Structure formats: structure tokens, C-alpha cells
Amino acid sequence: MKILVVYYSRSERTKQVADRIRQIFQCDIERIEDVESREGPSKFLKSTFESILGHNTEIKPSKIDPQGYDLVIIGTPVWAGTMSSPIFTYMKQNFLKFDQVAFFCTCGSNGAESTLKNMERLIRKEPVSTLSLTKKELKNNMNGKINNFISELKYELT
Ligand SMILES: Cc1cc2nc3c(=O)[nH]c(=O)nc-3n(C[C@H](O)[C@H](O)[C@H](O)COP(=O)(O)O)c2cc1C
């Protein structure tokens, strides 16, 4: 089974989860990158508004074509209760190329459920499985939750 992990991460938390999933599956991985830096308070506001309003943002061209992968696992930080605008943009650009999908997100403390639901709505495709991790869970139980997610994926896909 060909698996691709695609993620965006502004402050490296979602990256930790993406790297662990990639390590377990020994699969390909793509990091979505901004064209412009998102550092600083004005960029925090811009990110919030882009997410709330569902605006596209400028992302660098991706290096891996998701077409031909049996499963694309997409990860995002939660921004204002929904997916980050770079992942919104990536999903809009590529949804026709996805076969099966799974989603994961990281957040401070809330907004994971709406984020995962909005990702599903955006591409009108039900994920095989989902995973969410709060800041606290990332610290205390990251591997446990990731392992459950992986087991569910393996179960659903075999
Ligand atoms: C613009 C912005 C909006 C955010 N909105 C939320 C939110 O609604 N709920 C929440 O729990 N955390 C929120 N956060 C915190 C991030 O979701 C959290 O720190 C996440 O793990 C960061 O992932 P990253 O390090 O991969 O960028 C927000 C962070 C940013 C930058």
C-alpha cells in the first residue's frame, strides 16, 4: 500500500506527529510550506482571519504528486477552530487526486473536532481514521494516541 503523509506546521508540533507516523509506515512525506513567513503578531492575526474566512493562501509548489497513493494522511494545526489556511489551500488544490484519506491535527486545547469535520466537508470525503492531540497530550501521551490511530488505519485498510 502506497502511503503519503502531508502536513503543515508553523511551530513544529504537527511536524512531530507527522514524523512519527512516517517513521512507523516508512512512507513518503511532504511538508507544506508558506511563501511568506508567519512570524510575528500581525501574521498571527492574518492566519486567524484566513482560517475563519476560508481563504486560500500562498504555498510553495508541492514536490510530491498525491495521485497514485492509496492513502494520503493529512495533518494540520488547529487555527481558530478549523484547519490552517496552508492545508485548506493544499486540500483545495489536490482533492481530486486523493484516493483514501486520513486526518490528524494538533491544538492548544480545543477546536480539534470542528477542524476534522471541516476537512471532511471541504473535500467531501470521509476519512478512514482521524487523530487529534492537544498540547498536553503531545507531552504526555503522544505515542499512545498515534499507535491507536495507526492500528485503526491498519484495521480499516486490510
Ligand atoms: C493563528 C493560530 C490560531 C490558533 N487557534 C487555536 C484554536 O482555535 N484552538 C486551539 O486549541 N489552539 C489554537 N492554536 C494553537 C495551535 O493549534 C497549536 O499550538 C498547534 O499545536 C500548533 O501546531 P504547529 O506547531 O504544528 O504549528 C492556534 C495557533 C495559531 C498560530
Side-chain angles (χ1 to χ4, degrees), residues 8-15 44 47-48 77-81 106-110:
Y8 174 80
S9 188
R10 178 176 167 268
S11 50
E12 309 295 302
R13 290 205 183 105
T14 312
K15 179 181 189 301
F44 183 93
S47 303
T48 302
V78 172
W79 283 359
T106 70
C107 63
S109 57
N110 54 50

Short mmCIF file of all heavy atoms in Angstrom, two decimals, residues 8-15 44 47-48 77-81 106-110, ligand 1:
data_model
loop_
_atom_site.label_atom_id
_atom_site.label_comp_id
_atom_site.label_asym_id
_atom_site.label_seq_id
_atom_site.Cartn_x
_atom_site.Cartn_y
_atom_site.Cartn_z
N TYR A 8 1.26 20.52 7.48
CA TYR A 8 1.77 21.89 7.65
C TYR A 8 2.07 22.07 9.13
O TYR A 8 1.33 21.55 9.98
CB TYR A 8 0.73 22.93 7.20
CG TYR A 8 1.18 24.34 7.51
CD1 TYR A 8 2.08 24.99 6.68
CD2 TYR A 8 0.76 25.00 8.66
CE1 TYR A 8 2.54 26.27 6.98
CE2 TYR A 8 1.20 26.28 8.97
CZ TYR A 8 2.09 26.90 8.11
OH TYR A 8 2.55 28.16 8.42
N SER A 9 3.11 22.79 9.43
CA SER A 9 3.44 23.06 10.83
C SER A 9 4.14 24.39 10.95
O SER A 9 5.15 24.63 10.29
CB SER A 9 4.35 21.94 11.35
OG SER A 9 4.55 22.06 12.73
N ARG A 10 3.58 25.27 11.78
CA ARG A 10 4.19 26.59 11.95
C ARG A 10 5.22 26.56 13.05
O ARG A 10 6.25 27.18 12.96
CB ARG A 10 3.08 27.61 12.27
CG ARG A 10 3.56 29.02 12.52
CD ARG A 10 2.36 29.93 12.71
NE ARG A 10 2.75 31.22 13.25
CZ ARG A 10 2.79 31.49 14.54
NH1 ARG A 10 2.49 30.57 15.44
NH2 ARG A 10 3.15 32.70 14.96
N SER A 11 4.91 25.81 14.13
CA SER A 11 5.85 25.82 15.26
C SER A 11 6.28 24.40 15.66
O SER A 11 6.56 24.14 16.82
CB SER A 11 5.23 26.56 16.45
OG SER A 11 3.92 26.08 16.73
N GLU A 12 6.27 23.51 14.68
CA GLU A 12 6.88 22.17 14.76
C GLU A 12 6.11 21.12 15.57
O GLU A 12 6.58 19.99 15.70
CB GLU A 12 8.34 22.25 15.28
CG GLU A 12 9.23 23.24 14.53
CD GLU A 12 9.47 22.86 13.07
OE1 GLU A 12 9.99 21.78 12.80
OE2 GLU A 12 9.12 23.67 12.19
N ARG A 13 4.94 21.45 16.12
CA ARG A 13 4.21 20.43 16.88
C ARG A 13 3.60 19.38 15.95
O ARG A 13 3.72 18.19 16.18
CB ARG A 13 3.12 21.07 17.74
CG ARG A 13 3.69 21.87 18.87
CD ARG A 13 2.71 21.99 20.02
NE ARG A 13 3.27 22.83 21.05
CZ ARG A 13 2.91 24.09 21.28
NH1 ARG A 13 1.95 24.64 20.56
NH2 ARG A 13 3.49 24.79 22.23
N THR A 14 2.92 19.86 14.93
CA THR A 14 2.30 18.92 13.98
C THR A 14 3.39 18.11 13.27
O THR A 14 3.19 16.94 12.93
CB THR A 14 1.44 19.70 12.96
OG1 THR A 14 0.60 20.62 13.68
CG2 THR A 14 0.56 18.79 12.13
N LYS A 15 4.55 18.74 13.09
CA LYS A 15 5.68 18.03 12.46
C LYS A 15 6.09 16.80 13.28
O LYS A 15 6.38 15.74 12.72
CB LYS A 15 6.88 18.98 12.31
CG LYS A 15 8.10 18.32 11.69
CD LYS A 15 9.26 19.29 11.58
CE LYS A 15 10.41 18.73 10.77
NZ LYS A 15 10.98 17.49 11.27
N PHE A 44 -0.01 36.37 12.98
CA PHE A 44 -0.92 35.55 13.78
C PHE A 44 -2.37 35.94 13.43
O PHE A 44 -3.22 35.08 13.18
CB PHE A 44 -0.65 35.75 15.27
CG PHE A 44 -1.49 34.88 16.16
CD1 PHE A 44 -1.03 33.64 16.60
CD2 PHE A 44 -2.76 35.29 16.57
CE1 PHE A 44 -1.82 32.83 17.41
CE2 PHE A 44 -3.55 34.50 17.38
CZ PHE A 44 -3.07 33.26 17.81
N SER A 47 -3.26 34.82 9.94
CA SER A 47 -3.52 33.37 9.93
C SER A 47 -4.91 33.08 10.46
O SER A 47 -5.66 32.26 9.91
CB SER A 47 -2.48 32.63 10.78
OG SER A 47 -1.19 32.93 10.33
N THR A 48 -5.27 33.76 11.56
CA THR A 48 -6.60 33.57 12.16
C THR A 48 -7.69 33.92 11.16
O THR A 48 -8.63 33.15 10.94
CB THR A 48 -6.74 34.44 13.42
OG1 THR A 48 -5.70 34.07 14.31
CG2 THR A 48 -8.07 34.28 14.10
N PRO A 77 -2.19 22.07 12.11
CA PRO A 77 -2.52 22.68 13.40
C PRO A 77 -3.95 23.25 13.35
O PRO A 77 -4.44 23.57 12.26
CB PRO A 77 -1.50 23.83 13.53
CG PRO A 77 -1.00 24.09 12.15
CD PRO A 77 -1.22 22.85 11.33
N VAL A 78 -4.60 23.34 14.49
CA VAL A 78 -5.92 24.00 14.56
C VAL A 78 -5.70 25.51 14.63
O VAL A 78 -4.94 25.99 15.47
CB VAL A 78 -6.69 23.53 15.82
CG1 VAL A 78 -7.97 24.34 16.01
CG2 VAL A 78 -7.01 22.04 15.71
N TRP A 79 -6.33 26.21 13.72
CA TRP A 79 -6.29 27.68 13.74
C TRP A 79 -7.74 28.17 13.84
O TRP A 79 -8.55 27.90 12.93
CB TRP A 79 -5.65 28.23 12.46
CG TRP A 79 -4.14 28.11 12.42
CD1 TRP A 79 -3.32 27.59 13.38
CD2 TRP A 79 -3.29 28.55 11.35
NE1 TRP A 79 -2.01 27.66 12.98
CE2 TRP A 79 -1.95 28.24 11.75
CE3 TRP A 79 -3.49 29.15 10.11
CZ2 TRP A 79 -0.85 28.53 10.92
CZ3 TRP A 79 -2.41 29.43 9.30
CH2 TRP A 79 -1.10 29.14 9.70
N ALA A 80 -8.05 28.87 14.91
CA ALA A 80 -9.40 29.41 15.11
C ALA A 80 -10.48 28.36 14.89
O ALA A 80 -11.47 28.58 14.19
CB ALA A 80 -9.62 30.60 14.16
N GLY A 81 -10.25 27.19 15.46
CA GLY A 81 -11.26 26.14 15.41
C GLY A 81 -11.39 25.43 14.08
O GLY A 81 -12.36 24.70 13.86
N THR A 106 -3.20 19.00 15.55
CA THR A 106 -2.73 19.33 16.90
C THR A 106 -3.32 20.69 17.28
O THR A 106 -3.56 21.53 16.41
CB THR A 106 -1.19 19.41 17.00
OG1 THR A 106 -0.72 20.57 16.30
CG2 THR A 106 -0.52 18.16 16.43
N CYS A 107 -3.57 20.87 18.57
CA CYS A 107 -4.17 22.14 19.01
C CYS A 107 -3.68 22.48 20.41
O CYS A 107 -3.04 21.64 21.07
CB CYS A 107 -5.69 22.05 18.99
SG CYS A 107 -6.36 20.83 20.14
N GLY A 108 -4.00 23.70 20.85
CA GLY A 108 -3.68 24.08 22.22
C GLY A 108 -4.56 23.26 23.15
O GLY A 108 -4.08 22.45 23.94
N SER A 109 -5.86 23.45 23.04
CA SER A 109 -6.78 22.71 23.91
C SER A 109 -8.12 22.39 23.27
O SER A 109 -8.77 21.44 23.65
CB SER A 109 -7.01 23.50 25.20
OG SER A 109 -7.51 24.78 24.86
N ASN A 110 -8.56 23.20 22.30
CA ASN A 110 -9.89 22.90 21.72
C ASN A 110 -9.97 23.26 20.23
O ASN A 110 -9.09 23.94 19.71
CB ASN A 110 -10.99 23.61 22.50
CG ASN A 110 -10.73 25.09 22.60
OD1 ASN A 110 -10.44 25.75 21.61
ND2 ASN A 110 -10.77 25.63 23.81
C1 LIG B 1 -3.34 31.52 14.21
C2 LIG B 1 -3.48 30.47 15.28
C3 LIG B 1 -4.74 30.11 15.74
C4 LIG B 1 -4.88 29.10 16.70
N1 LIG B 1 -6.13 28.72 17.10
C5 LIG B 1 -6.29 27.72 18.01
C6 LIG B 1 -7.59 27.26 18.41
O1 LIG B 1 -8.62 27.71 17.93
N2 LIG B 1 -7.67 26.29 19.36
C7 LIG B 1 -6.55 25.73 19.95
O2 LIG B 1 -6.68 24.85 20.80
N3 LIG B 1 -5.30 26.11 19.54
C8 LIG B 1 -5.13 27.09 18.60
N4 LIG B 1 -3.87 27.46 18.20
C9 LIG B 1 -2.71 26.73 18.73
C10 LIG B 1 -2.23 25.66 17.74
O3 LIG B 1 -3.29 24.89 17.21
C11 LIG B 1 -1.27 24.66 18.43
O4 LIG B 1 -0.26 25.34 19.10
C12 LIG B 1 -0.70 23.69 17.42
O5 LIG B 1 -0.27 22.52 18.08
C13 LIG B 1 0.47 24.30 16.67
O6 LIG B 1 0.93 23.39 15.71
P1 LIG B 1 2.28 23.66 14.90
O7 LIG B 1 3.37 23.77 15.91
O8 LIG B 1 2.43 22.45 14.05
O9 LIG B 1 2.12 24.92 14.11
C14 LIG B 1 -3.72 28.46 17.24
C15 LIG B 1 -2.45 28.85 16.79
C16 LIG B 1 -2.32 29.83 15.82
C17 LIG B 1 -0.94 30.20 15.32
#
